[in-house]
């Protein structure tokens, strides 16, 4: 855990109380996190849980349970978890970075970068549509019959939209996955290389991978299915671009702190992160950014639960387009969930309050429980 003397200063800035009271607040925070984590782990049979907080620039880490029931290895801040669809935030970061460096424009259409798809409806979709789930209605997953790149291209050529692009939000892996393909192609390198050798180092995330190397396998947590069977990601087509990242609470919190402008970044990358938080469409109380989802702050818990519900994932919703797009905001709650068969993750941050949280578990438990846990902790801090 972070030294209480430094957290004291952070809490003092947040609360305006005396330092002695801030010390008590730090102890109260520790007790609250421990209680909330224990409750969630017991209720959802979670083997291991890593929680990371950023409070006014000061990181704080809490680790509970085991990374593997078989070995009994304890969870640490460097344990690697599958983060599922939180991986998509790196896909849009890569695409926005390619735009910032003049390699592509998010307002361009797919056909400009994938000429082999010219003449198909998919070629007419913009990259912004790919990044905001508004391409026109893809299924959540690439169909099981699509196993190779040629089969994927054939599938995309034959795809027929259910809705006009930009009219409905349909959460889907094929569209955001193709944005990753296009971004990597514009940078003239494979997607795995673009993330592991370019983006992650630039973000100072040395413990983040698409392909966990042998030297780091000991840190890779074992995931557990709903039936408590050991399970890990079985990647399909577009897995890397849509849901394939493995990372630690320490690294992912550093990514959050970069969004909170608490880290030193090269100017193009700094602009890139803000660009990913521009708002393009609204669905109820939620504003759809480039993959990130945001809510005007302060936000009611019910709005977060609705925005992160299974209905928002599995159903299409009519959207209202923001013209021009809404520039990145500070008075907002920004979040993203991520799941694989054996892992459940959640990230949220409030720029105006300089607060952020990372939740990583080696079990896929309900989004509602993740949101409630994060909201309980951040509300206590705010």
């Amino acid at each position: 855990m972070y030294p209480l003397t430094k957290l004291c200063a952070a809490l003092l800035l947040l609360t305006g109380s005396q330092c002695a009271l801030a010390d008590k607040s730090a102890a109260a925070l520790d007790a609250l996190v421990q209680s909330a984590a224990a409750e969630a782990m017991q209720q959802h049979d979670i083997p291991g849980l890593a929680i990371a907080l950023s409070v006014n620039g000061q990181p704080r880490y809490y680790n509970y349970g085991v990374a593997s029931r078989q070995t009994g290895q304890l969870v640490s801040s460097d344990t690697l978890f599958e983060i599922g669809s939180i991986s998509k935030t790196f896909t849009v970061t890569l695409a926005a970075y390619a735009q910032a460096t003049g390699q592509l424009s998010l307002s361009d259409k797919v056909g400009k970068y994938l000429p082999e798809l010219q003449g198909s409806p998919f070629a007419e979709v913009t990259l912004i549509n790919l990044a905001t789930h508004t391409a026109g209605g893809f299924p959540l997953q690439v169909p099981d019959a699509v196993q190779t790149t040629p089969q994927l291209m054939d599938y995309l050529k034959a795809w027929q939209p259910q809705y006009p692009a930009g009219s409905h939000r349909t959460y889907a892996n094929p569209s955001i996955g193709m944005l990753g393909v296009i971004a990597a192609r514009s940078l003239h390198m494979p997607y795995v290389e673009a993330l592991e050798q370019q983006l992650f180092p630039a973000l100072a995330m040395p413990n983040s991978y698409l392909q966990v190397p042998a030297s780091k396998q000991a840190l890779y947590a074992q995931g557990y299915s709903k039936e408590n069977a050991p399970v890990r990601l079985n990647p399909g087509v577009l897995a890397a671009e849509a849901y394939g990242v493995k990372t630690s609470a320490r690294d992912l919190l550093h990514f959050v702190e970069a969004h909170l402008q608490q880290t030193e970044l090269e100017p193009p990358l700094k602009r890139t992160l803000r660009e990913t938080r521009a708002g393009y469409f609204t669905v109820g109380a939620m504003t759809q950014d480039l993959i990130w989802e945001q809510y005007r702050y302060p936000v009611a818990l019910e709005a977060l639960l609705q925005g992160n519900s299974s209905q928002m994932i599995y159903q299409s919703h009519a959207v209202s387009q923001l013209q021009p797009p809404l520039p990145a905001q500070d008075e907002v709650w920004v979040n993203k969930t991520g799941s694989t068969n054996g892992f459940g993750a959640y990230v949220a941050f409030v720029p105006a309050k300089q607060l952020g949280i990372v939740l990583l578990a080696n079990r896929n438990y309900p989004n509602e429980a993740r949101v409630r846990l994060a909201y309980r902790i951040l509300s206590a801090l705010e």
Side-chain angles (χ1 to χ4, degrees), residues 268-322:
L269 188 53
K270 187 174 182 179
R271 292 195 302 271
T272 289
L273 294 186
R274 288 193 67 82
E275 177 57 31
T276 64
R277 295 196 293 107
Y280 289 89
F281 299 94
T282 59
V283 185
M286 187 264 280
T287 296
Q288 180 67 65
D289 304 341
L290 300 183
I291 289 300
W292 292 109
E293 300 150 14
Q294 70 179 25
Y295 303 79
R296 187 173 297 176
Y297 193 83
V299 58
L301 175 60
E302 187 57 39
L304 293 175
L305 294 175
Q306 183 175 352
N308 288 283
S309 67
S310 58
Q311 289 81 5
M312 286 298 293
I313 296 174
Y314 295 111
Q315 299 176 12
S316 293
H317 298 267
V319 296
S320 297
Q321 186 171 1
L322 296 172

Side-chain angles (χ1 to χ4, degrees), residues 212-226:
V212 180
S215 61
K216 297 290 185 177
Q217 285 293 328
L219 290 174
Y220 191 177
Q222 176 62 65
Y224 294 90
S225 70
K226 294 178 181 178

Side-chain angles (χ1 to χ4, degrees), residues 106-121:
L106 292 170
S107 62
D108 285 339
K109 294 180 179 180
V110 166
K112 179 176 179 178
Y113 303 96
L114 298 174
E116 60 268 42
L117 297 180
Q118 286 287 5
S120 69

